[in-house]
Amino acid sequence: MKTKIKFIASGILLVTIMAVLGCTTQNNGSGALSSNVAERAYVAPGEHDEFYAFVSGGFSGQLSVYGLPSGRLFRVIPVFSVDAEKAYGFNEETKPMLETTFGFIPWDDSHHPDISQTNGEIDGRWVFINANNTPRIARISLETFETEEIIEIPNSAGNHSSSFVTENTEYVVAGTRFSVPVPQQDISIDEYKSNFKGAISFIGIDQESGRMNLDFQILMPGFNYDLAHPGRGKSHGWMFFSTYNTEEANTLLEVNASQNDKDFIAAINWKKAEEYIQQGRFREMETAYAHNVYDESTHMATSTIKRTVKVLDPAELPGLVYFLPTPKSPHGCDVDPTGEYIIGSGKLSAALTAHSFTKMLDAIENERFDGEAYGVPILNYDDVVAGVVEQAGLGPLHTEFDTEGNGYTTFFISSEVVKWKVGTWEVVDRKPTYYSVGHLMIPGGNSRKPFGKYLLAMNKITKDRYLPTGPELTQSAQLYDISGEKMELILDFPTVGEPHYAAGAPADLIAPRSKKFYELDDNNHPYSIKNESEARVERDGNVVHIYMSTIRSHFAPDNIEGIKVGDRVYFHVTNLEQDFDVPHGISMIGANTSELLIMPGQTETFVWEPKKVGVWPFYCTDFCSALHQEMQGYVRVSPRNSDIELSWSLDGE
Amino acid sequence: MITGAFFLLALFVLPMWNITLEAPQYPDSIGMDIWINKITDHNPNDIKNINLMNHYVGMKPIPEHMREFEIFPWVIGVMSFIGVAIGFIGKKNLYLAWFIVMIILGAAGMYDFYLWEYDYGHNLDPTAAIKIPGQGYQPPLIGRKEILNFTAISRPMSGAYFLFAGILMSLFAYFISKGEELKYEKEEAI
């Protein structure tokens, strides 16, 4: 009996020692290996995530929707690239969304999503994102998770310092990366200096509809404008842009644009700009840009070309723009939640520069300038700098904030995330990323009200991090728990395309308003039908319109005859379902376009130009029901000179 | 008695019965509310979705018109009117008679409801896509029942509670007035 007790006692002792050892290993080991780390990123089957993350797709041109902390992918919202799965850019309704003054463009490079705000807090109405290559800004509804509007940005090239939202979503700004001749003209590239301009666009947002209007542009000196951030609270009314290539090089920029010890953060007083617009001190400039709007009631997009833009010249308009010298080609340009500090991340430097908004205003008031560039006053570095985070890492890129007064900055070259204290500029913690992190995102971390808790780091390369898939490897994001003093890596997950930036919001801000289906009664598509009895086929010369409906589990009509080779056949298909998650799809053998994927209550159209005589089938492409496989039909195609009458039926009727 | 008779009129503004179907694929469940003169969606589009689902096994669509929808309002209206009238007349035996008639009518109504449910659940389209020998789809008269992948729940709604209360009040009225009469008789005896 005694031995038994001893046994048990020594057993307990052993367990205790092991537990202590275990704890020690846990503290010393990498965060991802400790046992309860997995639990923190785990969302049980059937449970919902706490946050939405809208992650840009970079060269995929799209915007992906993930849940945090699980990293589960819910949806890829097609924005700037065609998406055959969803018929985006393939059906007649959405083709106009991708129209530009260069014609239809099936692809772009999407970079910086930003969620609409009210009083500097994320409000979950819309998310905006920029197309970098052919400059455009898109607005995506967070009720339907569909792209509702795309506006082209004239006088811009490489639309990179975009699409950032002001405190009350008054504007979405879009700044040019490349400076270009404005207006475009046939001149030698060597004439870059003083002939090239950098356009910064202010796109006004209608607070009811979200509709975008290019209110005005500021024609800045010919630098490269990299990123931007709106003022918050006390600095509301200002917009800050990082610049590089203040050398104004036009060749071998990797060397020639990296010579100046300091470039600038441009501080733009947009309230002042509004005053100048009011006073009529703008130039109305001839230009051309496309404005594409998707109407939810007609389920169709329209594209119109607009012809003029109001232009402001900062050289002639005092008080509009100031330059804040900032070390070494700053990339990120981020404002803390109080609005006092503007953080410049000199991407070729080891330090992080924090400018003080108060000191900036003071310097402006006392006109303590250190020269000017193209008529824009340059402030003294020492007059505006509030502090420097010294030796924080190598190659700082981008900063966001938590609820406790900490900043978190990514360092591309040293491949890490660094946590530092706003005000004391001390480094608190650092954690490696795998590898070469670009931007990071803390839900609400770019607003007045960060939600904290998680930090999402978006990496540029993954190397050996995942199972290899040939030369092209997955892109990835990494999730850190930032609720404690030290950051902990809790999850790696692959992303669609290259994630340049993300926007996060609490799920309860967005999920309750997510639309379940479209009301059939509100469908104003000109070719919609509201019930099967309206299903029909009409011919107008060689153009044929099929008014078709879908409901579980059949098409109406499903037998059509009298179509001829050389006809142009429009399938206008209305999904009569009125329950959520019951889409139907359709495609036709040999159709030179994508399938349609039609949500309940919606109408979509695809074009088919039959080339061969015969009887050709179509079927439902979305597994809609138990009898999905029976959901199909035939079209009889006759020779061009045939006199077979148009006829259609469902079950012989 | 008069209040009880008036309670019947609640059936014109409140639904009487509800049948709800629950299944994992319908996280919000789908249901229909039965009134004395119509059947309506419990949530928008519910009947459309019930019909869509049921057509696979050959069940008929939920009817928009039924003979009962024309008869029931008259029955309830007339009985309510009679109830009020006998309330004014104040004869206790008439209260009891009204109570008994209402119980008979109620039972007849439930029987009619059962017959419809039986027909709805058993009279299936012979061309139905899914046929399961011996399987009926009749919803329960009251309570829960598993039907294939669905749980069907049938239960009275606010209108029916007013009806029950109205009927019980007539019985209550009968007992109260009887009590007074007995007392009176006893006094006389003394």
Side-chain angles (χ1 to χ4, degrees):
Chain A
M1 189 67 190
K2 263 191 181 171
T3 24
K4 217 174 189 180
I5 290 169
K6 262 188 188 170
F7 246 93
I8 293 169
S10 55
I12 290 170
L13 191 69
L14 197 69
V15 167
T16 318
I17 290 166
M18 280 173 75
V20 169
L21 279 176
C23 278
T24 326
T25 353
Q26 212 171 63
N27 289 342
N28 291 344
S30 84
L33 291 175
S34 46
S35 61
N36 77 332
V37 156
E39 267 168 43
R40 275 182 275 162
Y42 181 71
V43 177
E47 298 290 312
H48 285 177
D49 281 281
E50 189 180 350
F51 292 98
Y52 279 102
F54 299 92
V55 182
S56 74
F59 45 65
S60 89
Q62 318 294 46
L63 180 68
S64 310
V65 187
Y66 293 88
L68 297 182
S70 73
R72 295 181 296 187
L73 174 65
F74 302 142
R75 175 171 168 79
V76 176
I77 302 171
V79 187
F80 296 117
S81 296
V82 296
D83 183 346
E85 172 192 316
K86 304 176 184 78
Y88 185 80
F90 289 96
N91 64 19
E92 297 305 296
E93 287 77 9
T94 57
K95 276 180 186 171
M97 291 301 281
L98 298 177
E99 285 294 338
T100 71
T101 52
F102 302 93
F104 179 90
I105 296 182
W107 168 90
D108 215 298
D109 180 14
S110 63
H111 273 240
H112 310 123
D114 204 6
I115 300 172
S116 57
Q117 300 191 359
T118 305
N119 297 322
E121 295 176 15
I122 283 170
D123 62 24
R125 288 179 290 171
W126 308 294
V127 57
F128 299 89
I129 191 167
N130 56 319
N132 201 40
N133 183 52
T134 301
R136 284 167 287 170
I137 299 288
R139 180 177 56 83
I140 293 142
S141 160
L142 290 184
E143 279 182 26
T144 60
F145 289 67
E146 298 281 1
T147 305
E148 282 192 333
E149 192 176 5
I150 293 179
I151 192 166
E152 192 180 352
I153 312 295
N155 302 328
S156 179
N159 175 35
H160 194 272
S161 41
S162 323
S163 47
F164 301 103
V165 176
T166 58
E167 188 129 311
N168 293 300
T169 322
E170 295 97 338
Y171 297 100
V172 171
V173 300
T176 192
R177 165 188 170 172
F178 294 93
S179 282
V180 288
V182 176
Q184 274 292 359
Q185 52 183 309
D186 177 21
I187 58 172
S188 166
I189 301 168
D190 289 339
E191 293 178 58
Y192 185 109
K193 282 190 187 175
S194 76
N195 277 318
F196 284 35
K197 295 281 178 206
I200 305 277
S201 306
F202 282 77
I203 299 158
I205 305 299
D206 182 280
Q207 295 305 307
E208 284 301 307
S209 62
R211 291 280 170 91
M212 301 190 281
N213 181 59
L214 179 53
D215 284 0
F216 58 89
Q217 288 188 320
I218 301 174
L219 285 190
M220 302 281 283
F223 310 148
N224 290 33
Y225 296 85
D226 205 4
L227 282 167
H229 205 287
R232 296 277 171 237
K234 65 169 83 167
S235 52
H236 177 51
W238 290 77
M239 196 83 201
F240 304 95
F241 286 84
S242 56
T243 70
Y244 65 102
N245 192 22
T246 51
E247 297 86 348
E248 296 179 78
N250 57 282
T251 182
L252 195 63
L253 264 65
E254 67 167 308
V255 174
N256 295 330
S258 306
Q259 297 306 304
N260 286 354
D261 199 33
K262 291 190 175 66
D263 294 280
F264 299 126
I265 282 179
I268 295 177
N269 186 343
W270 58 260
K271 293 261 185 187
K272 198 85 183 167
E274 287 180 337
E275 286 172 26
Y276 284 130
I277 295 285
Q278 285 277 319
Q279 293 163 13
R281 294 177 70 180
F282 58 84
R283 185 160 57 91
E284 192 96 28
M285 186 182 159
E286 293 289 313
T287 184
Y289 57 98
H291 184 207
N292 310 330
V293 178
Y294 182 86
D295 182 338
E296 194 182 307
S297 114
T298 59
H299 299 278
M300 291 177 103
T302 50
S303 180
T304 49
I305 300 294
K306 296 199 167 172
R307 296 286 174 190
T308 63
V309 60
K310 294 183 176 74
V311 173
L312 297 174
D313 181 353
E316 295 168 7
L317 302 170
L320 185 61
V321 185
Y322 298 93
F323 286 137
L324 284 61
T326 305
K328 301 302 277 181
S329 304
H331 185 65
C333 169
D334 302 291
V335 178
D336 83 310
T338 68
E340 169 62 12
Y341 299 113
I342 303 122
I343 315 300
S345 303
K347 65 177 182 276
L348 307 177
S349 124
L352 212 59
T353 311
H355 294 304
S356 158
F357 179 70
T358 315
K359 289 177 82 175
M360 182 193 92
L361 285 190
D362 188 57
I364 291 170
E365 201 172 320
N366 295 302
E367 299 189 352
R368 287 200 302 275
F369 301 135
D370 182 22
E372 46 104 6
Y374 298 101
V376 174
I378 302 171
L379 300 171
N380 256 309
Y381 174 75
D382 292 329
D383 285 342
V384 291
V385 73
V388 174
V389 185
E390 296 285 2
Q391 300 297 320
L394 204 57
L397 282 193
H398 175 239
T399 302
E400 292 209 343
F401 303 88
D402 68 7
T403 50
E404 313 291 325
N406 296 300
Y408 298 78
T409 304
T410 50
F411 288 79
F412 179 81
I413 301 171
S414 55
S415 213
E416 59 188 335
V417 179
V418 173
K419 176 182 179 180
W420 50 273
K421 196 88 194 154
V422 178
T424 68
W425 322 114
E426 293 165 321
V427 171
V428 180
D429 188 26
R430 61 176 68 238
K431 282 287 178 302
T433 62
Y434 306 91
Y435 305 94
S436 301
V437 62
H439 282 229
L440 58 80
M441 181 276 281
I442 295 168
N446 68 345
S447 73
R448 276 171 83 166
K449 188 185 164 193
F451 295 93
K453 207 157 180 181
Y454 300 111
L455 182 157
L456 190 72
M458 285 153 271
N459 300 323
K460 299 299 180 193
I461 49 181
T462 53
K463 298 284 183 189
D464 58 349
R465 200 68 183 166
Y466 296 91
L467 283 175
T469 52
E472 189 176 351
L473 301 169
T474 184
Q475 308 281 330
S476 102
Q478 294 190 288
L479 191 71
Y480 295 80
D481 181 339
I482 56 164
S483 54
E485 175 78 0
K486 300 287 179 189
M487 298 176 278
E488 281 186 273
L489 176 60
I490 58 173
L491 184 70
D492 270 26
F493 64 91
T495 59
V496 178
E498 183 178 89
H500 281 268
Y501 186 36
D508 56 19
L509 201 60
I510 293 171
R513 291 169 41 238
S514 178
K515 204 176 195 67
K516 291 197 160 181
F517 58 85
Y518 300 98
E519 289 290 337
L520 196 56
D521 290 340
D522 299 340
N523 180 336
N524 294 315
H525 191 294
Y527 292 96
S528 72
I529 56 175
K530 300 298 171 68
N531 56 61
E532 277 180 12
S533 63
E534 294 169 32
R536 62 192 185 275
V537 184
E538 290 174 358
R539 176 182 284 283
D540 177 16
N542 69 337
V543 174
V544 177
H545 292 282
I546 302 173
Y547 295 73
M548 183 179 272
S549 70
T550 62
I551 197 156
R552 281 163 288 174
S553 304
H554 59 268
F555 295 97
D558 65 2
N559 280 204
I560 298 167
E561 300 201 359
I563 304 292
K564 297 170 199 171
V565 170
D567 279 348
R568 187 172 170 80
V569 182
Y570 289 88
F571 281 76
H572 306 286
V573 188
T574 303
N575 183 351
L576 297 179
E577 304 280 357
Q578 291 287 269
D579 192 4
F580 77 118
D581 204 10
V582 196
H584 289 290
I586 182 172
S587 193
M588 180 81 219
I589 190 170
N592 298 97
T593 186
S594 80
E595 64 154 357
L596 300 179
L597 190 61
I598 315 150
M599 296 305 124
Q602 198 174 29
T603 304
E604 290 189 20
T605 304
F606 77 93
V607 178
W608 175 52
E609 292 175 300
K611 295 175 182 70
K612 298 177 186 173
V613 168
V615 177
W616 305 102
F618 58 90
Y619 71 96
C620 178
T621 51
D622 182 288
F623 205 115
C624 57
S625 59
L627 288 137
H628 156 74
Q629 204 66 356
E630 283 71 16
M631 191 164 170
Q632 62 181 47
Y634 288 105
V635 179
R636 175 180 173 185
V637 178
S638 306
R640 171 165 274 172
N641 56 4
S642 153
D643 52 7
I644 291 177
E645 286 293 309
L646 210 52
S647 68
W648 60 93
S649 62
L650 167 68
D651 200 15
E653 287 167 21
Chain B
M1 179 67 221
I2 294 170
T3 319
F6 266 121
F7 270 21
L8 263 57
L9 299 178
L11 285 170
F12 286 93
V13 289
L14 294 170
M16 187 162 59
W17 216 265
N18 171 279
I19 298 176
T20 295
L21 298 169
E22 290 177 353
Q25 302 94 317
Y26 292 87
D28 297 339
S29 76
I30 44 179
M32 55 182 172
D33 295 339
I34 301 167
W35 304 60
I36 50 168
N37 57 351
K38 62 188 172 190
I39 300 177
T40 58
D41 293 317
H42 190 64
N43 287 309
N45 303 304
D46 274 2
I47 292 178
K48 174 171 178 156
N49 290 319
I50 291 170
N51 289 341
L52 260 170
M53 184 179 64
N54 286 351
H55 93 277
Y56 288 119
V57 293
M59 293 168 76
K60 287 198 281 267
I62 305 285
E64 283 176 30
H65 302 290
M66 286 174 94
R67 206 154 38 93
E68 285 84 344
F69 294 161
E70 286 154 33
I71 299 166
F72 283 176
W74 279 104
V75 172
I76 295 296
V78 168
M79 284 309 291
S80 178
F81 177 77
I82 293 171
V84 172
I86 63 176
F88 277 115
I89 295 164
K91 289 246 168 93
K92 65 177 173 27
N93 286 338
L94 284 178
Y95 295 175
L96 186 63
W98 190 85
F99 170 76
I100 291 165
V101 170
M102 278 310 293
I103 291 294
I104 293 166
L105 285 173
M110 286 303 281
Y111 181 64
D112 181 70
F113 182 45
Y114 173 83
L115 286 182
W116 172 76
E117 280 192 337
Y118 184 88
D119 179 70
Y120 182 59
H122 289 91
N123 186 3
L124 306 174
D125 184 341
T127 67
I130 300 173
K131 290 195 196 84
I132 301 173
Q135 175 72 45
Y137 304 96
Q138 182 181 354
L141 199 58
I142 186 164
R144 302 171 74 89
K145 186 180 170 190
E146 306 292 324
I147 306 171
L148 293 184
N149 57 330
F150 281 90
T151 302
I153 300 155
S154 178
R155 57 172 178 243
M157 289 186 83
S158 48
Y161 291 124
F162 271 100
L163 175 66
F164 299 148
I167 295 172
L168 285 175
M169 279 166 88
S170 73
L171 191 66
F172 184 60
Y174 168 73
F175 280 120
I176 292 176
S177 49
K178 187 164 191 173
E180 279 167 2
E181 209 156 288
L182 273 174
K183 213 172 166 186
Y184 172 71
E185 277 169 9
K186 271 180 192 165
E187 273 168 17
E188 209 174 39
I190 291 163

XYZ file of all heavy atoms in Angstrom, chain A residues 580-620:
325
model
N -32.277 31.291 -50.248
C -30.851 31.567 -50.352
C -30.050 30.318 -50.650
O -30.461 29.221 -50.309
C -30.333 32.347 -49.151
C -30.125 31.554 -47.882
C -28.847 31.447 -47.318
C -31.177 30.965 -47.231
C -28.651 30.748 -46.142
C -30.988 30.270 -46.051
C -29.728 30.151 -45.515
N -28.955 30.550 -51.364
C -28.046 29.486 -51.768
C -28.685 28.486 -52.735
O -28.472 27.293 -52.616
C -27.487 28.764 -50.525
C -26.156 28.080 -50.807
O -25.588 28.327 -51.881
O -25.703 27.284 -49.964
N -29.494 28.988 -53.662
C -30.024 28.124 -54.724
C -29.746 28.767 -56.087
O -30.658 29.149 -56.808
C -31.546 27.854 -54.579
C -31.936 26.663 -55.465
C -31.938 27.572 -53.151
N -28.460 28.898 -56.449
C -28.171 29.389 -57.800
C -28.419 28.286 -58.822
O -28.444 27.107 -58.467
C -26.686 29.760 -57.744
C -26.112 29.070 -56.564
C -27.238 28.602 -55.685
N -28.636 28.680 -60.069
C -28.608 27.735 -61.182
C -27.577 28.228 -62.183
O -27.321 29.424 -62.274
C -29.974 27.647 -61.874
C -31.019 26.956 -61.046
N -30.988 25.606 -60.792
C -32.113 27.427 -60.407
C -32.023 25.275 -60.032
N -32.725 26.373 -59.774
N -27.006 27.309 -62.909
C -26.044 27.682 -63.944
C -26.538 27.207 -65.282
O -27.491 26.426 -65.370
N -25.911 27.696 -66.347
C -26.267 27.190 -67.677
C -25.098 27.405 -68.615
O -24.394 28.417 -68.548
C -27.539 27.882 -68.244
C -27.896 27.283 -69.611
C -27.359 29.385 -68.323
C -29.233 27.767 -70.166
N -24.867 26.426 -69.465
C -23.994 26.648 -70.603
C -24.451 25.772 -71.752
O -25.171 24.807 -71.556
C -22.533 26.368 -70.265
O -21.735 26.895 -71.307
N -24.011 26.184 -72.944
C -24.452 25.586 -74.204
C -23.225 25.003 -74.872
O -22.191 25.674 -74.920
C -25.025 26.744 -75.033
C -25.551 26.377 -76.373
S -27.203 25.698 -76.193
C -27.101 24.404 -77.406
N -23.334 23.839 -75.391
C -22.190 23.222 -76.074
C -21.656 24.172 -77.159
O -22.427 24.750 -77.911
C -22.582 21.845 -76.663
C -21.365 21.084 -77.151
C -23.595 21.984 -77.774
C -21.677 19.624 -77.515
N -20.370 24.393 -77.155
C -19.739 25.209 -78.190
C -19.898 26.709 -78.030
O -19.476 27.461 -78.906
N -20.491 27.154 -76.931
C -20.641 28.606 -76.732
C -19.257 29.203 -76.472
O -18.494 28.673 -75.669
C -21.571 28.895 -75.559
N -18.934 30.302 -77.166
C -17.605 30.896 -77.030
C -17.545 31.879 -75.865
O -17.033 32.993 -75.982
C -17.210 31.607 -78.324
C -17.134 30.625 -79.472
O -18.086 30.486 -80.247
N -16.045 29.913 -79.555
N -18.095 31.454 -74.754
C -18.087 32.305 -73.564
C -18.183 31.413 -72.346
O -18.146 30.184 -72.464
C -19.244 33.329 -73.622
O -19.120 34.222 -72.525
C -20.598 32.647 -73.576
N -18.298 32.002 -71.173
C -18.350 31.190 -69.956
C -19.782 30.763 -69.656
O -20.727 31.215 -70.299
C -17.804 31.985 -68.775
O -18.788 32.872 -68.299
N -19.905 29.914 -68.669
C -21.236 29.593 -68.137
C -21.841 30.847 -67.516
O -21.151 31.840 -67.320
C -21.103 28.533 -67.032
C -20.301 29.080 -65.834
C -20.609 28.426 -64.493
O -21.482 27.561 -64.427
O -19.971 28.814 -63.503
N -23.123 30.758 -67.186
C -23.738 31.761 -66.311
C -23.910 31.112 -64.949
O -24.146 29.907 -64.855
C -25.114 32.176 -66.829
C -25.201 32.802 -68.209
C -26.674 33.113 -68.532
C -24.369 34.068 -68.297
N -23.803 31.893 -63.914
C -24.100 31.407 -62.572
C -25.074 32.425 -61.984
O -24.689 33.525 -61.634
C -22.810 31.330 -61.743
C -22.913 30.616 -60.396
C -23.328 29.167 -60.571
C -21.585 30.682 -59.657
N -26.362 32.041 -61.964
C -27.428 33.011 -61.735
C -27.974 32.861 -60.329
O -28.429 31.780 -59.932
C -28.563 32.817 -62.768
C -27.961 32.632 -64.167
C -29.536 33.978 -62.739
C -28.802 31.765 -65.056
N -27.923 33.944 -59.568
C -28.420 33.907 -58.200
C -29.952 33.975 -58.208
O -30.551 34.488 -59.158
C -27.855 35.081 -57.399
C -26.359 35.040 -57.245
S -25.782 33.484 -56.520
C -24.624 32.939 -57.770
N -30.608 33.479 -57.150
C -32.070 33.549 -57.087
C -32.581 34.978 -57.306
O -32.072 35.912 -56.687
C -32.377 33.071 -55.667
C -31.227 32.200 -55.308
C -30.033 32.795 -55.984
N -33.537 35.104 -58.216
C -34.138 36.409 -58.494
C -33.376 37.229 -59.520
O -33.778 38.339 -59.846
N -32.271 36.673 -60.023
C -31.415 37.433 -60.925
C -31.611 36.991 -62.375
O -32.052 35.865 -62.627
C -29.958 37.181 -60.513
C -28.959 38.176 -61.034
C -27.571 37.930 -60.470
O -27.206 36.807 -60.152
N -26.789 38.984 -60.349
N -31.288 37.888 -63.318
C -31.298 37.549 -64.739
C -29.901 37.784 -65.306
O -29.301 38.815 -65.030
C -32.302 38.428 -65.508
O -33.586 38.281 -64.902
C -32.385 38.030 -66.976
N -29.407 36.812 -66.046
C -28.125 36.983 -66.731
C -28.264 36.504 -68.179
O -29.160 35.714 -68.496
C -27.007 36.196 -66.027
C -26.633 36.770 -64.673
C -25.393 36.113 -64.081
O -24.611 35.500 -64.841
O -25.215 36.217 -62.857
N -27.338 36.982 -69.009
C -27.434 36.731 -70.448
C -26.106 36.265 -71.017
O -25.077 36.863 -70.716
C -27.835 38.037 -71.177
O -29.050 38.519 -70.615
C -28.006 37.791 -72.667
N -26.162 35.194 -71.825
C -24.961 34.879 -72.613
C -25.338 34.753 -74.080
O -26.498 34.512 -74.420
C -24.226 33.629 -72.098
C -24.837 32.305 -72.466
C -24.422 31.620 -73.607
C -25.802 31.730 -71.655
C -24.975 30.378 -73.942
C -26.359 30.491 -71.976
C -25.946 29.809 -73.121
N -24.331 34.961 -74.930
C -24.560 34.932 -76.367
C -23.988 33.636 -76.932
O -22.908 33.207 -76.544
C -23.873 36.126 -77.055
C -24.081 36.058 -78.556
C -24.401 37.423 -76.512
N -24.756 33.057 -77.847
C -24.306 31.832 -78.519
C -24.516 32.024 -80.013
O -25.606 32.416 -80.429
C -25.121 30.647 -77.996
C -24.864 29.333 -78.673
C -23.660 28.723 -78.873
C -25.840 28.460 -79.241
N -23.811 27.536 -79.506
C -25.152 27.326 -79.748
C -27.233 28.498 -79.363
C -25.794 26.269 -80.376
C -27.885 27.434 -79.977
C -27.170 26.335 -80.477
N -23.468 31.761 -80.766
C -23.584 31.862 -82.220
C -23.376 30.474 -82.811
O -22.235 30.053 -83.016
C -22.555 32.864 -82.760
C -22.895 34.275 -82.321
C -21.841 35.304 -82.733
O -20.681 35.167 -82.324
O -22.201 36.233 -83.469
N -24.495 29.749 -83.032
C -24.373 28.362 -83.490
C -23.672 28.297 -84.841
O -23.984 29.062 -85.745
C -25.824 27.884 -83.578
C -26.642 29.118 -83.628
C -25.887 30.172 -82.902
N -22.721 27.379 -84.923
C -21.928 27.265 -86.155
C -22.224 25.968 -86.904
O -21.909 25.853 -88.071
C -20.439 27.315 -85.800
C -20.032 28.671 -85.223
C -18.578 28.663 -84.768
C -18.204 29.992 -84.150
N -18.858 30.216 -82.838
N -22.818 24.997 -86.198
C -23.015 23.687 -86.817
C -24.476 23.262 -86.746
O -25.130 23.448 -85.723
C -22.164 22.628 -86.096
C -20.658 22.873 -86.149
C -19.938 21.803 -85.342
C -18.451 22.087 -85.257
N -17.779 21.165 -84.352
N -24.944 22.656 -87.839
C -26.300 22.103 -87.892
C -26.366 20.899 -86.957
O -25.396 20.156 -86.816
C -26.637 21.681 -89.342
C -27.897 20.835 -89.401
C -26.773 22.917 -90.238
N -27.497 20.739 -86.279
C -27.659 19.574 -85.404
C -28.576 19.886 -84.241
O -29.255 20.908 -84.224
N -28.603 18.969 -83.289
C -29.389 19.176 -82.071
C -28.398 19.250 -80.918
O -27.669 18.288 -80.663
C -30.401 18.043 -81.859
C -31.161 18.241 -80.545
C -31.382 17.992 -83.025
N -28.357 20.390 -80.277
C -27.278 20.678 -79.331
C -27.818 20.869 -77.926
O -28.803 21.582 -77.731
C -26.508 21.924 -79.779
C -25.991 21.806 -81.177
C -26.511 22.375 -82.305
C -24.864 21.032 -81.613
N -25.778 22.028 -83.413
C -24.761 21.209 -83.021
C -23.931 20.225 -80.960
C -23.760 20.589 -83.780
C -22.927 19.633 -81.713
C -22.855 19.806 -83.098
N -27.185 20.256 -76.938
C -27.707 20.327 -75.577
C -27.157 21.485 -74.744
O -26.091 22.021 -75.021
C -27.241 19.005 -74.959
C -25.984 18.680 -75.682
C -26.099 19.273 -77.063
N -27.937 21.842 -73.738
C -27.468 22.754 -72.683
C -27.879 22.140 -71.350
O -28.780 21.302 -71.294
C -28.049 24.161 -72.855
C -29.544 24.251 -72.865
C -30.251 24.438 -71.673
C -30.264 24.155 -74.059
C -31.631 24.537 -71.683
C -31.648 24.251 -74.077
C -32.341 24.436 -72.875
N -27.204 22.527 -70.286
C -27.543 21.948 -68.976
C -27.196 22.901 -67.855
O -26.489 23.883 -68.039
C -26.817 20.605 -68.788
C -25.318 20.716 -68.589
C -24.774 20.716 -67.311
C -24.465 20.814 -69.675
C -23.398 20.821 -67.130
C -23.096 20.918 -69.507
C -22.562 20.913 -68.236
O -21.216 21.019 -68.053
N -27.717 22.548 -66.677
C -27.456 23.356 -65.477
C -26.070 22.995 -64.953
O -25.757 21.829 -64.746
C -28.510 23.101 -64.407
S -28.204 24.033 -62.882
